[in-house]
Amino acid sequence: MKIKAPRGTMDILPEQAKKWQYIEKQFKSICQRYNYKEIRTPLFEHTELFQRSVGDTTDIVQKEMYEFKDRGGRSITLRPEGTAPVARAYVENKLYGDPKQPHKLFYFMQMFRYERPQQGRMRQLNQFGVEVLGSKDPAIDAEVIDLAMTCYKELGLTSLKLVINSLGDEESRAQYRKALVEHFTPHKEELCKDCQTRLEQNPLRVLDCKTDSEHPAMKKAPSILDYLNEESRSYFDKVKSYLTTIGVDYEVDPNLVRGLDYYNHTAFEIMSEAEGFGAITTLAGGGRYNGLVEELGGPSTPGIGFGMGIERLLLALEAENISLPLTNQLDYYMVTMGERADVESFRIIHYLRKHGIQVDKDYQGRKPKAQFKAANRLNVRYVLVLGDEELDKEIINLKDMETGEQEEIPLTNLVQTLTLKEV
RNA sequence: GCGGUCGUGGCGAAGUGGUUAACGCACCGGAUUGUGGCUCCGGCAGGCGUGGGUUCAAAUCCCACCGGUCGCCCCA
């Protein structure tokens, strides 16, 4: 084969697509229960949107964006994440003026990140996500987290870990940032190269460095939790208390920083603890972003959301050995014998389909024997047998593939009989 | 972006320098002129990821590239 799918992309074939459909259906039903409405934004945006919101120092912007110039010379980027585009749409369409607040939104969208692919990390990836704009009620934080957990739980996943943290408000964060720089600067030379850069550009991210995690300075690093001001601390406490109220277990990890610039207050991640899941365990991540809408030119509007990788979700299901209840097999298969019957069968199945009956036939010119084999392969319970004999008698033979029994159905009663069978 | 590892018919998998590249599954046909799932028999299908090189001779050795996979960075 000459032309292959570009690196980091994949085809989703019918067998697999059934799972995607099922997951989407379940998640949409959950969203309906929680009263979240679907939003769809463009596949690509002006590069500037991500630079300004996600942040120039983040990995996403520095090395992962699918960025190109269009024919008009504009810098365009295939969206690497969903929050910024949704916030942009909120501002652009003036949804802040809509009396229905907050706006509770969900999406199923493709994202693109230029990374070295491996299992669970594609260049084109699919995310289900949720964004709530216009509420700073800690109960909404808990609702969003609960929604994500519910999605996983209703599919049957159990080996989950919810990790939460608070990054505090701007003031808390600035204080903490200062403390971190003061703490790490004396050890700067001992830290890894990445951390030295991070210390200057984005000190919070020094904390989630894996290389230096054993360094004594890392262990003695100040905790964000000690730098939360009164308001931030109280907010975080309320979020935790709401989670407890509805029985959502969590673990507080003061080192959970989240990479993107727009986050503040609540940050969370959901991981799989299933065995054999490999190095990548994050299934979903999100947080609050109270300054983002304003940053994008809208009125000061609080927001919170998460993104959930569907590819990783499928891996988690596999790791936990969960098979989704997929049930779309064929109801009827038509077997024909002879040319007369073959032509007539085409007319009949068209008629049956028109009446809502799910039926297929052979298109390979196979012998009857092979047609029955095909029916077996398709896992069909009933086969409609049509040959010269049946045509002459104006009936069709309905064969039950499980019992092997066959009964004659008058053609005039066909639809009625088959419809009843399905019940 | 860095490091390890792998790449043989549709799938799985032998072969590690030398006659026309095992085998299993799947598929097609026959035994059974119009009836399947079992059995038996037969058949279809690959020149070994791509491109160079070494050699009398390469799927087998070397190089580059592409792709998968694992790990790192980071995240979904």
Side-chain angles (χ1 to χ4, degrees), chain A residues 23 27 148-161 270-274 277 283 308-310 312-324:
Chain A
I23 289 167
F27 285 8
M149 291 301 286
T150 298
C151 286
Y152 290 130
K153 288 175 187 165
E154 290 200 0
L155 289 178
L157 289 173
T158 54
S159 301
L160 299 166
K161 184 165 84 173
I270 301 169
M271 340 236 229
S272 171
E273 294 187 299
F277 201 79
L283 297 176
M308 168 188 296
I310 305 299
R312 287 184 187 182
L313 166 57
L314 287 164
L315 290 173
L317 288 167
E318 217 167 289
E320 289 200 31
N321 237 315
I322 295 167
S323 49
L324 303 174

Side-chain angles (χ1 to χ4, degrees), chain A residues 122-136:
Chain A
M122 298 280 116
R123 287 185 173 180
Q124 176 178 333
L125 56 120
N126 289 270
Q127 284 190 346
F128 163 68
V130 147
E131 311 289 349
V132 178
L133 291 138
S135 170
K136 57 178 186 350

